[in-house]
Amino acid sequence: NAPAISELFTLPEGKKKIEYQDDSKAKHAGIFTFHLEDHTIGNLLRYTLLRDENIKFAGYRRPHPLENKIQMKVHTNGRVAPKEAVKQAFDNLNIEYSSLKEEFLNEVKKFKGQ
């Protein structure tokens, strides 16, 4: 039943990493499907989105344990589109982790210099 190892890391040809569709049940909401991702990016992105005042709801689910994808629903207040909110959240994560990496490398240099 388990997928082949290559399926866990290789995106099939013609498949997009991120797919988006408007939520038919709620205005200013959309559902993102992230292929080849799991709880790591799901939790990080959800947490980052929920810090944004324009986000009413952000949650994700893993449709099936053997499928290597997550689906995230994002509902905004209408001042910003769900796609823009997710893009901004990824930008914020990039800035945050770039800063963390820089701090870590500086501490490694200090440690090696002792």
Side-chain angles (χ1 to χ4, degrees), residues 93-107:
L93 281 170
N94 191 29
I95 291 166
E96 201 169 319
Y97 285 100
S98 293
S99 173
L100 180 65
K101 179 182 174 183
E102 188 177 316
E103 287 179 39
F104 176 77
L105 293 175
N106 286 337
E107 290 300 318

Side-chain angles (χ1 to χ4, degrees), residues 78-94:
R79 284 184 244 154
V80 65
K83 281 184 180 181
E84 186 57 37
V86 169
K87 182 186 178 308
Q88 185 61 50
F90 275 123
D91 288 345
N92 290 345
L93 281 170
N94 191 29

Side-chain angles (χ1 to χ4, degrees), residues 28 48-58 74-82 84-85 88:
H28 309 299
T48 303
L49 283 164
L50 290 174
R51 293 190 305 188
D52 184 340
E53 64 185 20
N54 293 312
I55 302 298
K56 291 171 112 178
F57 174 83
V74 177
H75 189 175
T76 69
N77 59 12
R79 284 184 244 154
V80 65
E84 186 57 37
Q88 185 61 50

Side-chain angles (χ1 to χ4, degrees), residues 8-97:
L8 299 175
F9 303 103
T10 308
L11 201 59
E13 196 170 320
K15 189 121 179 151
K16 292 182 178 180
K17 177 75 173 173
I18 303 172
E19 295 175 355
Y20 174 81
Q21 70 182 64
D22 287 322
D23 189 340
S24 60
K25 298 175 185 173
K27 195 174 180 181
H28 309 299
I31 300 170
F32 295 83
T33 302
F34 297 90
H35 296 280
L36 302 180
E37 296 297 345
D38 58 14
H39 296 288
T40 304
I41 195 69
N43 277 319
L44 283 169
L45 188 56
R46 182 188 61 82
Y47 175 75
T48 303
L49 283 164
L50 290 174
R51 293 190 305 188
D52 184 340
E53 64 185 20
N54 293 312
I55 302 298
K56 291 171 112 178
F57 174 83
Y60 77 95
R61 69 186 188 107
R62 190 149 181 216
H64 191 278
L66 295 178
E67 291 181 326
N68 201 20
K69 70 179 180 181
I70 60 169
Q71 293 176 328
M72 178 166 283
K73 182 172 182 174
V74 177
H75 189 175
T76 69
N77 59 12
R79 284 184 244 154
V80 65
K83 281 184 180 181
E84 186 57 37
V86 169
K87 182 186 178 308
Q88 185 61 50
F90 275 123
D91 288 345
N92 290 345
L93 281 170
N94 191 29
I95 291 166
E96 201 169 319
Y97 285 100

